[in-house]
Amino acid sequence: MFYPQKHLLQIEGLQPPEIGDLLDLAESYVLLNRSGKTQRDLLRGRTLINLFFEDSTRTRTSFELAGKRLGADVINMSVSTSSVNKGETLLDTAATLNAMHCDLLVVRHGQSGAPRLLAEEVDAAVINAGDGTHEHPTQALLDALTIKRRKGRIEGLTVAICGDIAHSRVARSNIHLLTTLGAQVRVVGPPSLVPPEVAMWGTTVFHDMASALDGADIVMMLRLQRERMSRGPVPSEREYFRFWGLDFEKLAAAKPDALVMHPGPMNRGVEIDSAVADDPRRSVIREQVEMGVAVRMAVLDTLSRGHGRNVP
Amino acid sequence: MSPDILFTGVRIVSDGIDLHGDLLVRDGLIADFGPSLGRPDGAVVVHEDDAILCPGLVDMRVALGEPGFEYRETIASAAMAASAGGVTTLAALPDSQPAIDDPALAHLLITRGRETGAVTILPYGAVTRGCKGEELAEIGLLREAGAVAFTDGARAIASTGMMRLALTYARGFGARIVQHPEDPSLALGGSATEGELAARLGLPAIPAAAEAIMVARDIALAALTGGAVHFAHVSTGAALALIRRAKDEGLAVTCDTAPPYFDLNENTIGDYRTYAKLSPPLRREEDRLAVVAGLADGTIDAIASDHQPRDADDKRLPFAQASAGGVGLATLLAVTLVRVHNEELSLGAAIALLTSRPAALLGIDSGHVEKGAVADLCLFHPDRVWRVRAKTLPGKARNTPFDGRALEGTVLGTWKAGRRVYDAALALRTGSA
């Protein structure tokens, strides 16, 4: 086991063996889950708290299921109903969690860097379940596992990441992970949603789908984060769909066996056409959800072993 | 009657003066200075090997916690930090709570400063009522009450029409308008300078152009109105190029910068270090170098600390939610001296940027050594090394962006009107600095 850190806060900075280990372990959990067996004693007596400052059914449920399959006591704290709304600060929350002797803390927060701030204060191992527009590491790991299982490799594949790159934590984590493992990463979207600096992370920037998808092995769509758009970088949904929404016409530029991915939840008819999203020959969106549970089991397993508790 | 003070064997550096010798203080005034003075009976002798004696620093940009934010800093604690930094005069920003938009409040600050016995507080008046950018404040009455210049503090005067009015009206009172040069619509919600780092950290960003755009607009307004505009804490090469050209054209345009902008760059925010979150944000390395060049070629008229006290509750938050600002009084001199040690700035020029030049901008008769002048003095050792430790900074607010930085240049003592208000040896013994 190479994974050297106490927490999982970001993909950036992880080395190929660390990522590879997590993926290998996750792969074994896929097989275990499919066989119907469980590992209910692995995290017995451990407490996992899902601390969600933003609404998320999918990711929270996935972590909850992963924790329960490993035998952990799982507690969901949804903060829209808790004391943060009464003026309690993030660090007050950290003190409370320490008093509860939580072992594994899964955090989603609307502010970039919030899990790191918590990690500085809590005793638990912290897993970033999405922070602001920074990173969403377990999403990138589950995407990588999905690709690896379907394509047999990641190195050398051409992956097009499409849409709202600027506001996407999924895009950042995926760019770091895929470039680290040797994929050719392209990003595409309107210039108002693609920071030019993305090119400095080893990607190629496009603004039209036809060029970006040309010969691609993987087409990874992003949710158009409308709720983040305080200044309206696109004029309308229909204009966005016309130029950057994925339909079969645009998908035709990719390789015939190219796979379509989406982290969910989808805005059907905005960034992806339902016909593409629901096509079992092309879309692996449901498989991504299955891989999500396995990846999170692998992460919980790895961090609970407390390998080399040196702070990142 | 306090005894005379004789500084012996010091290097005296002030506007146009650089000599080794003695300086005599009598009745709170500089009585004499020169290569060798006799020692009057009963005089207190001050001597430190290789020390430099300069005018007490004039810091033209300081936010006091008072009134309104006493949990961050009080005037007493700011005075303690100022004395430890060799600062004997400071100009206080008006965006307090309430804002300094009333003559009585300007009076109050002057009085409170006098009561400290350690530092002269010169109030800025608000340009607009409540620093809200909507209605002009009573610039004439504030001027009469002692306001040295006018600004809305850390808030940019956003409306072009309001800025034009302010420059035009203030001209009648010979008053300078000090702008926080940042286009608010580009800066809205931003917390770091735009670039690769901010994109990677997923932080809302402010482009460097937000500064240049405001500077360009206000230079045009200075030309239109004949008013005098001063840009605070200039942090980008693009803005400095515009200011340089405006000065060449003879416009009444001046500017200052603050130590973080010539000593640090955006990388200091690293893994979301909120103590390095400032306004304007720390910039990219090429902008830092442009600020150094602006100091060296004289485009920048003064160095001010832009002291902004904050407490842990303001700072221990996710980066974008944390309050911007850093304290700077205690580190002002030492961080400036880095440029001297690096031979980018002469010692005389550095001292002038901290003393006589800001004094001239504020229109006060201070910041230089001459016979008969008030004995506001700073004695420092230019090479003695110390390390900035946030936990032991003097004063109440400790939100320094320089935590852990080793600096060459130590303030040994500070004198306000001939009275010693800071003694490094004493501070060391009592552990307060």
Side-chain angles (χ1 to χ4, degrees), chain A residues 17 28 49 58 110 138 241 256 264 301:
Chain A
S28 73
I49 297 185
R58 180 180 304 245
T138 57
F241 184 73
D301 180 353

Side-chain angles (χ1 to χ4, degrees), chain B residues 360-392:
Chain B
L361 286 170
L362 298 170
I364 57 165
D365 182 25
S366 163
H368 41 87
V369 168
E370 66 179 347
K371 282 185 199 175
V374 174
D376 288 354
L377 296 164
C378 167
L379 185 73
F380 66 96
H381 195 294
D383 305 321
R384 191 170 297 171
V385 178
W386 62 293
R387 192 176 289 278
V388 181
R389 299 262 185 229
K391 283 180 183 158
T392 57

Side-chain angles (χ1 to χ4, degrees), chain B residues 186-249:
Chain B
L186 288 175
L188 185 70
S191 61
T193 201
E194 195 167 295
E196 191 275 332
L197 181 72
R200 182 153 40 89
L201 294 176
L203 293 175
I206 304 170
E211 183 172 276
I213 286 166
M214 193 58 109
V215 165
R217 182 198 79 172
D218 289 352
I219 287 171
L221 289 176
L224 176 67
T225 61
V229 65
H230 176 89
F231 299 109
H233 49 58
V234 174
S235 63
T236 64
L240 285 166
L242 292 165
I243 292 165
R244 195 173 285 123
R245 198 169 67 200
K247 287 184 160 196
D248 288 344
E249 289 168 9

